[in-house]
Amino acid sequence: MGAATVPPQKILNLQLGWPSPRLCARQGLLDGAQAALAGGNDMSPILLYGPHQGHPPLRESLAHWLTDVYEPTAGSVTPDRLCITNGASGNLANILLKFTDPSYTRNVFMVEPTYFLACPIFEDCGFSGKLRGVPEDASDGIDLDYLRRQLELAEIGARASCERRGVADEPIAKRGPNYSHIYKYVVYCVPTYSNPSGCTYTLRLRERLVALAREYDALVVSDDVYDFLSWPEDPASERDAVTKPPPRLVDIDRSMPGCMELGNCVSNGSFSKIVGPGVRVGWSECTAAFATQLSEVGSSSSGGAPSHLASTLVDLMLRSQWLQRHISDTLIPIYKERYYALISSIKSQLIPQGYVIEAKNIASDASLSSAGGFFTYLRLPRGLPSAKVLAAIALKEHALRIAFGHMFIVAGDRGSLQRAEEPQGFARCIRLCWAWHEVEGIKEAIERLAAVTADVQARVQRGEDIGAGASIGIR
Ligand SMILES: Cc1ncc(COP(=O)(O)O)c(C=O)c1O
């Protein structure tokens, strides 16, 4: 017999932005499926092609629920403002297909650090080389002065290019009755409990962003996928804390005078984080005109509403209040407990090592003290190599997966890479997710992170070249 070998450690994964399987809405789906499919011959509406804008009962129950959750000052959410989708990812592609034309739409501005999996969606829709990062800033959420300067420059460039070529400044590929409006710009952001930074933008920032979008004919696509998972930031102030984030961008666009018929903001919602990603049902909320046109995207004209059968199950979950109870009685208590455990471990083990919590969950213009979503975001201690190197060592030597700053660079934008690699750039940040592991796994993962950090700090002090040989893939 050979020498006893140490069993390999099970990998702990604080990178994965997935809900633990036990939190997915299995029972609600099962009940819904039984009720929905028990209708004998009367099931044709749910087993055939769905209306392009989505299952009407879901648009109705969703409108009620969104009204309850967001309490929009401009009035109730109405079904004509909603278009059912197959989730936020697929819907982003559909929005781009219907309302942008890479021959005319000058740039896509992505708030950085960015949700990196959105980049290939933009690239698939023709925007390779046209993606630009816009830095988050510490006060309000986004550096809007930077965005304004970039918009001005892009406008000047676009006009000069048309003059040089002697062509009109208008869409080339997408014209005619199927495309009533092609936007000049897209701004992509996650304004509440952002992925990856945890940032929540202030009301002031949101209002200024909507005004800027109107000024430059930009469409703001707001991934509002974490809005429903919200709790007090501080366990001690549990009872008095205000946990409602500022209004959505789409609500601000609706309530600010001068909203154009198609609007300048679309809320990209999803049931992935509250039912389960496999359900593939989401929604767009936007003006009624935008919703109608989005529902006529080619794939829905041919195939009917996306995720039609699954959307009937989600409707039944909303109607019976099953989903609302699942969120308030299961998801929020469990995620909240994990969040508190994670933050407490970070405070006791990582802060003394020099880590800083960067997640800006507190909107500075309101008495808001909420946390939520799936992620927190840390800056590495001084003297450590980049987060990418730390992540590679953590995975190889400590069986720990963490998401690192280089993942969140806007694809193809050299400026974004440069900003990431500046001394105070986000290449020195990591994103940690509390949605996948239970409390015990989270605590152990932070112990491993503290161990790998201490190990790397010691190697740096000894003058070892630790960057060499430490590599890890971005995806
Ligand atoms: C910001 C953001 N947008 C979109 C998605 C994907 O949403 P969906 O599953 O609805 O496609 C995620 C999932 O991690 C996300 O974090």
Side-chain angles (χ1 to χ4, degrees):
M1 280 217 335
T5 51
V6 181
Q9 272 181 310
K10 182 172 165 265
I11 290 186
L12 290 176
N13 196 338
L14 292 186
Q15 174 179 326
L16 199 62
W18 296 10
S20 352
R22 82 168 172 100
L23 297 182
C24 294
R26 194 188 66 87
Q27 191 61 50
L29 287 169
L30 195 59
D31 295 348
Q34 261 154 1
L37 295 174
N41 290 333
D42 204 19
M43 295 183 317
S44 46
I46 65 171
L47 290 182
L48 297 179
Y49 293 110
H52 299 179
Q53 208 168 326
H55 188 49
L58 175 58
R59 286 171 47 226
E60 200 179 278
S61 56
L62 182 57
H64 278 128
W65 178 56
L66 294 175
T67 302
D68 285 350
V69 172
Y70 290 115
E71 300 174 317
T73 54
S76 303
V77 176
T78 46
D80 60 348
R81 293 178 54 81
L82 299 172
C83 180
I84 303 305
T85 72
N86 63 345
S89 312
N91 187 45
L92 175 57
N94 283 346
I95 291 170
L96 298 173
L97 290 173
K98 204 65 195 164
F99 296 103
T100 68
D101 176 349
S103 72
Y104 172 77
T105 305
R106 291 89 156 100
N107 286 112
V108 172
F109 290 101
M110 303 181 76
V111 175
E112 72 182 27
T114 202
Y115 169 54
F116 59 103
L117 294 176
C119 295
I121 303 176
F122 288 114
E123 290 176 330
D124 282 353
C125 290
F127 288 100
S128 295
K130 288 186 156 200
L131 306 186
R132 299 283 180 272
V134 180
E136 277 186 354
D137 80 358
S139 53
D140 279 348
I142 313 179
D143 187 345
L144 276 195
D145 294 336
Y146 179 88
L147 177 58
R148 176 180 283 283
R149 281 197 304 278
Q150 297 308 309
L151 287 163
E152 273 165 15
L153 287 174
E155 267 315 281
I156 293 167
R159 275 195 227 110
S161 159
C162 287
E163 269 171 35
R164 212 174 39 246
R165 291 178 296 134
V167 295
D169 186 9
E170 59 189 19
I172 297 172
K174 298 188 188 172
R175 313 165 179 243
N178 288 340
Y179 306 101
S180 79
H181 185 71
I182 297 295
Y183 290 85
K184 284 185 179 168
Y185 298 94
V186 174
V187 177
Y188 170 79
C189 57
V190 188
T192 300
Y193 310 134
S194 179
N195 178 3
S197 71
C199 181
T200 294
Y201 308 162
T202 62
L203 175 59
R204 194 180 85 110
L205 183 285
R206 290 170 194 239
E207 289 169 346
R208 288 175 60 218
L209 177 58
V210 172
L212 192 61
R214 289 184 183 179
E215 196 180 330
Y216 283 89
D217 187 24
L219 175 65
V220 182
V221 181
S222 169
D223 273 7
D224 294 329
V225 301
Y226 296 104
D227 293 16
F228 313 96
L229 301 172
S230 193
W231 51 82
E233 161 113 73
D234 175 5
S237 69
E238 176 103 44
R239 237 167 291 126
D240 328 303
V242 180
T243 57
K244 217 174 170 57
R248 289 174 304 174
L249 292 160
V250 76
D251 292 323
I252 292 172
D253 194 24
R254 180 152 72 116
S255 56
M256 248 166 59
C259 182
M260 71 162 193
E261 197 194 0
L262 280 181
N264 286 86
C265 298
V266 50
S267 172
N268 201 10
S270 175
F271 289 102
S272 287
K273 312 296 172 186
I274 46 180
V275 171
V279 76
R280 305 292 345 124
V281 183
W283 67 93
S284 256
E285 189 187 329
C286 39
T287 66
F290 191 108
T292 308
Q293 292 182 32
L294 179 60
S295 74
E296 294 307 331
V297 69
S299 56
S300 296
S301 298
S302 166
S307 300
H308 181 48
L309 176 59
S311 71
T312 65
L313 313 187
V314 173
D315 170 49
L316 293 173
M317 279 198 281
L318 279 170
R319 269 167 205 277
S320 64
Q321 301 285 314
W322 192 97
L323 185 57
Q324 291 86 331
R325 281 195 302 274
H326 180 62
I327 295 170
S328 63
D329 300 351
T330 302
L331 296 184
I332 290 180
I334 290 176
Y335 285 138
K336 182 168 74 170
E337 189 195 4
R338 293 181 188 176
Y339 169 81
Y340 292 151
L342 176 71
I343 296 294
S344 155
S345 292
I346 289 171
K347 285 187 175 157
S348 65
Q349 297 185 60
L350 301 183
I351 302 292
Q353 290 182 314
Y355 280 90
V356 175
I357 301 177
E358 289 256 314
K360 294 173 278 288
N361 276 333
I362 301 169
S364 58
D365 65 348
S367 54
L368 181 85
S369 50
S370 75
F374 273 15
F375 306 107
T376 196
Y377 192 64
L378 306 182
R379 180 165 291 280
L380 300 191
R382 282 172 198 279
L384 243 56
S386 76
K388 188 175 180 188
V389 171
L390 187 79
I393 297 172
L395 182 59
K396 200 164 150 210
E397 299 177 17
H398 295 257
L400 172 67
R401 214 177 250 288
I402 51 173
F404 50 92
H406 274 96
M407 294 169 74
F408 311 130
I409 291 168
V410 174
D413 178 12
R414 256 179 291 153
S416 181
L417 173 63
Q418 264 168 18
R419 283 186 294 274
E421 294 187 340
E422 278 166 6
Q424 281 306 304
F426 59 92
R428 304 192 48 74
C429 291
I430 56 174
R431 184 197 73 181
L432 306 178
C433 174
W434 55 77
W436 182 246
H437 284 297
E438 304 292 339
V439 164
E440 283 318 304
I442 289 172
K443 286 183 180 166
E444 191 183 333
I446 297 301
E447 277 167 25
R448 289 190 199 178
L449 184 53
V452 66
T453 304
D455 182 22
V456 171
Q457 281 172 329
R459 290 197 223 172
V460 168
Q461 274 183 359
R462 289 198 298 271
E464 284 179 32
D465 179 11
I466 34 179
S471 79
I472 187 164
I474 293 285
R475 298 277 185 268

